[in-house]
Amino acid sequence: MKLHQGVLARLAVTAVTGALLFSGCASDDGGSKDSNSGSTEVDRGRYQFGVIGDQPDAGEPVKGGTLDFADYGEIRSLSPAVSYATGASGGGAMLAVYDTLMTLDTETQQFEPKLAESLESSDDLKTWTLTLREGVSFSDGTPLDAEAVVGSINWYMQNQGVDTAILGPNLKNMEVADERTVVFTMNEAWAKFPAMLSQAVGMIVAPAAYAGEEFTPIGAGAFVFDSYKPAEELILKANKDYWDGAPNLDAIRFFWPLADESKLDALEDGSADVAFMRDPKVVDEVVEAGIAGNLTLTSFGNTISINNREGYPGADPRVRRAIALAYDPELDYQRSYDGKGLPGKEMFPPESKWDTSEAALPVDLEEAKRLVEEAKADGFDGEITYLDGSDPTSRTQAVAMKAMLERVGFKVKTDLVASIADQTSRVYVDHDFDLARGALSAAESDPYHRMNSEFNSASFGNATGYASEEMDGLLADLRAADSDEEMKEVLDKMQALHNEDIPNVVSGANAAVHAWNENVYGVELGAEYMPDFSDAWLVQ
C-alpha cells in the first residue's frame, strides 16, 4: 500500500467520507411536523442506541476461524496519514493493525487508555502526560516506546493527515520525558484531547513503516496486513504476539458490497458474519428483526452545504436564510426515505446528550419568499444549482429540493454527477458548487472534532467557506469546556449563531448499525464507531 500523493488526495478521502455518510439516518414511525420549531415530532423512544437485539449466551471464547466483515466503505491505504479513521471509511481495518493510544468506552462515553497506561492533564488542561504500557512491541518486534510515539505523530503531521488541521494549531510542543512518557503541551486548554489519541493520530506506526519510499503497514494491533485486492477484499491475519494476548480469530476478511441491502443479504445468507449499514430503511429492518448489533447515533448526519464564497448565490446571507426557511426536512425524508429517519434542522437531535435549548429555524415560506424578492431587487437573478449524486435516492432528494426552493421563488438547476469522486472534487477540492448534499456526522463522544473541521474558518475541511470570528471563538470555548454543562452552554450559543449565519442547513441526525450473526461475539466499538475485533470470536 502506497503513501499518499499530497494534500488534495487526502482532502478527497475526507470528502468522500462526507459524501458517503449523507444517507444514513435512523427510522421513525412518521409523525407530524411543528412548523414553528423546525423539528419533526417523531417517536423518540423507538431506538435505544447501544447494544441491540437478542443473542445466545456467549460462553467461553473460541479460538480459530476467519471473520467476514461486510464493511461500509473500502479502505485503499492502511496509512493513518492517508485514510480517514471512522467506521464508515475503513477505520476498523486500521484499528485492527495499529490499536490506539486511547479508546472510547461506549457505555460511559469516556476515553480510556489502551496502548497507553495513563493520560493525565494539568489543572489548566494545557499539559497532558502520556505514560505507555510496559513491554508493548510492534509486529516487527521493535518497541513501541516514547520515541516511536513522537516519531509517528510527527510523521502524521508532516504528511498532513486529516486531523493535522486540528492538532497542528493547538499543539505547542511534544517531547519525550523518558522511555515510556510523552508530554504534550497545548497553546490553549483542550479538555477533549484524549479523543484525538483514540483516532488516527493515536494509531502509532512503527518507524520502519515510513522509513522507505513506500509506506508499509506495521503497527502494534491484534492483526497484521496479509493481502489486498482492490474492490474485492482485504485480509488481515492474527498477530500472535499481540500485547494483550493472541486474538481469538485467525483472520478478518473485509469486503464491500455496493448497497446496504446487499450487506443485509450477506449477513442473512452467512457470507458475512458482521455488516455495517447506514441506510435508514435497512437499519429499520435490522432493528425490527431483532438482529444483534450496536446502534450508534451521529448528529449533523444529513446536511445541505451552501457555498458562502463570493461569486456564489450563498454569499448573500438573505439567500442562505431563504434556503433554510424554505427547506422542510420532514417532506424531504418522506419522499427520499419513505418516512424513515430522524429529520430535523437542529444541530443535535433530542436523542443526543448535546441537544440544545436553542431551537432551530422553522419552516417559513412567506419569509423565504420575501428574502428572495429582496435579493432579486438588489440584482440576484434567482438561479441556484443543487449538486448531488445520480443514484435513485439522490435523484429523489434533488426533485424534493428543487420543489421546495422553487415554491419560494428560486429557479433551481440540478447537477447530478455520476461518481462520488466527482462530487467530492467539486465540493471539497474545487469548491465549485452552490448547494450540495453532504454530512458532518458529529459523534456523541466529541462533537468538537467534526464541528471544528466544518466551521473553523482556517480548516481545510470547511467546504462552504464559512468564516466567522465569533464561531471560531465559540469553537475554542468548546475545545476548552471541561464538563457536559459547559459544553452545552457553548453549543446553545453555536446553535443561535448557526441560526443567524446559516453556514449550512441541517437535514437530520442518523443512525448506523454494526450487526452480527448469532455465532459472533466480542465485537466492540471504539471512537468514531470503529469496530474493534481484538477480542472477537466465532462459534463454529
Side-chain angles (χ1 to χ4, degrees):
M1 294 192 170
K2 296 183 178 181
L3 198 61
H4 56 61
Q5 297 298 313
V7 67
L8 291 184
R10 186 172 46 263
L11 286 174
V13 170
T14 307
V16 164
T17 303
L20 286 171
L21 300 190
F22 78 85
S23 63
C25 307
S27 307
D28 71 80
D29 282 328
S32 61
K33 183 177 188 308
D34 179 355
S35 62
N36 292 319
S37 70
S39 176
T40 304
E41 295 179 1
V42 298
D43 180 1
R44 293 297 181 180
R46 181 169 186 176
Y47 292 110
Q48 298 300 314
F49 293 95
V51 176
I52 62 171
D54 300 318
Q55 193 169 30
D57 291 340
E60 293 298 317
V62 176
K63 294 287 185 179
T66 295
L67 184 145
D68 293 301
F69 178 31
D71 205 352
Y72 190 81
E74 180 177 1
I75 186 168
R76 295 183 176 177
S77 172
L78 285 172
S79 168
V82 176
S83 296
Y84 205 25
T86 75
S89 54
M94 289 198 295
L95 183 61
V97 171
Y98 301 107
D99 257 3
T100 46
L101 292 170
M102 303 292 288
T103 189
L104 175 69
D105 184 323
T106 54
E107 290 188 7
T108 65
Q109 289 293 300
Q110 299 298 312
F111 291 93
E112 304 291 344
K114 195 173 187 190
L115 288 172
E117 180 180 279
S118 64
L119 180 64
E120 304 293 337
S121 72
S122 59
D123 290 341
D124 63 3
L125 300 173
K126 290 185 178 181
T127 303
W128 290 85
T129 302
L130 175 83
T131 302
L132 293 165
R133 291 183 184 274
E134 190 171 5
V136 177
S137 295
F138 294 108
S139 60
D140 67 353
T142 57
L144 197 163
D145 55 17
E147 291 281 359
V149 169
V150 171
S152 178
I153 295 176
N154 277 330
W155 163 82
Y156 178 90
M157 291 196 294
Q158 287 165 5
N159 286 275
Q160 297 178 315
V162 170
D163 287 333
T164 302
I166 298 175
L167 181 62
N170 291 326
L171 181 62
K172 181 178 182 179
N173 188 39
M174 175 176 54
E175 60 182 355
V176 174
D178 59 44
E179 186 177 7
R180 293 172 52 211
T181 307
V182 179
V183 178
F184 299 89
T185 304
M186 306 301 165
N187 288 310
E188 302 292 343
W190 191 351
K192 287 287 187 178
F193 176 65
M196 182 62 61
L197 300 185
S198 71
Q199 300 171 50
V201 172
M203 294 178 174
I204 305 305
V205 303
Y210 52 88
E213 292 184 4
E214 293 187 0
F215 179 82
T216 304
I218 305 172
F223 296 86
V224 296
F225 174 72
D226 180 59
S227 63
Y228 172 55
K229 298 177 182 178
E232 186 176 337
E233 65 179 17
L234 166 69
I235 296 177
L236 305 179
K237 297 189 303 184
N239 177 8
K240 301 299 184 182
D241 297 320
Y242 180 50
W243 66 269
D244 200 25
N248 298 311
L249 298 170
D250 290 331
I252 309 172
R253 173 180 171 262
F254 297 79
F255 66 109
W256 312 278
L258 293 178
D260 277 6
E261 291 86 351
S262 300
K263 298 185 184 76
L264 183 56
D265 289 343
L267 196 69
E268 292 175 339
D269 68 22
S271 56
D273 299 301
V274 181
F276 183 35
M277 295 157 287
R278 300 178 62 90
D279 182 276
K281 292 177 280 189
V282 177
V283 170
D284 199 58
E285 287 184 52
V286 170
V287 173
E288 289 184 353
I291 298 172
N294 198 310
L295 189 67
T296 53
L297 170 71
T298 56
S299 300
F300 293 92
N302 196 336
T303 63
I304 299 160
S305 296
I306 306 174
N307 199 334
N308 290 216
R309 297 174 178 84
E310 289 299 322
Y312 292 89
D316 187 332
R318 297 170 298 184
V319 171
R320 298 200 302 272
R321 179 167 291 273
I323 293 167
L325 293 173
Y327 177 72
D328 184 337
E330 185 180 59
L331 177 59
D332 188 354
Y333 278 56
Q334 287 290 344
R335 294 186 178 182
S336 304
Y337 304 121
D338 296 335
K340 309 294 184 183
L342 293 174
K345 294 183 180 179
E346 59 276 321
M347 297 195 306
F348 296 90
E351 292 84 359
S352 171
K353 67 185 290 185
W354 309 116
D355 179 29
T356 65
S357 59
E358 184 75 26
L361 284 182
V363 175
D364 190 334
L365 303 185
E366 292 305 314
E367 177 63 8
K369 290 177 183 177
R370 187 191 69 78
L371 289 168
V372 171
E373 289 303 316
E374 185 177 299
K376 285 180 177 179
D378 289 337
F380 174 49
D381 62 10
E383 296 181 1
I384 201 160
T385 300
Y386 171 81
L387 176 68
D388 208 332
S390 57
D391 60 279
T393 297
S394 296
R395 287 181 177 278
T396 303
Q397 287 177 322
V399 171
M401 195 69 192
K402 179 179 174 70
M404 284 187 283
L405 294 182
E406 289 191 340
R407 65 184 177 176
V408 299
F410 287 104
K411 183 177 180 180
V412 181
K413 175 184 176 182
T414 58
D415 186 1
L416 306 183
V417 297
S419 72
I420 291 174
D422 290 340
Q423 191 173 350
T424 292
S425 180
R426 290 275 299 279
V427 176
Y428 287 87
V429 180
D430 299 332
H431 301 141
D432 183 19
F433 70 98
D434 293 344
L435 304 179
R437 188 74 62 154
L440 188 157
S441 294
E444 287 290 278
S445 57
D446 180 27
Y448 164 74
H449 184 190
R450 294 293 181 86
M451 295 184 77
N452 186 78
S453 178
E454 183 80 3
F455 298 127
N456 190 305
S457 58
S459 169
F460 56 63
N462 182 338
T464 66
Y466 171 66
S468 162
E469 290 185 4
E470 184 177 355
M471 183 64 81
D472 288 347
L474 289 173
L475 287 165
D477 292 342
L478 186 64
R479 181 189 63 231
D482 193 23
S483 68
D484 288 359
E485 291 73 19
E486 288 181 19
M487 290 185 73
K488 290 195 73 170
E489 288 179 7
V490 177
L491 291 170
D492 275 348
K493 296 175 183 178
M494 293 179 78
Q495 177 71 74
L497 183 58
H498 189 278
N499 290 348
E500 183 174 342
D501 287 355
I502 321 292
N504 65 0
V505 178
V506 181
S507 303
N510 65 19
V513 63
H514 284 85
W516 47 79
N517 285 323
E518 290 186 348
N519 67 325
V520 179
Y521 295 92
V523 179
E524 302 288 344
L525 293 187
E528 294 291 332
Y529 44 91
M530 290 184 287
D532 185 344
F533 297 108
S534 57
D535 291 326
W537 76 91
L538 294 169
V539 176
Q540 304 296 325

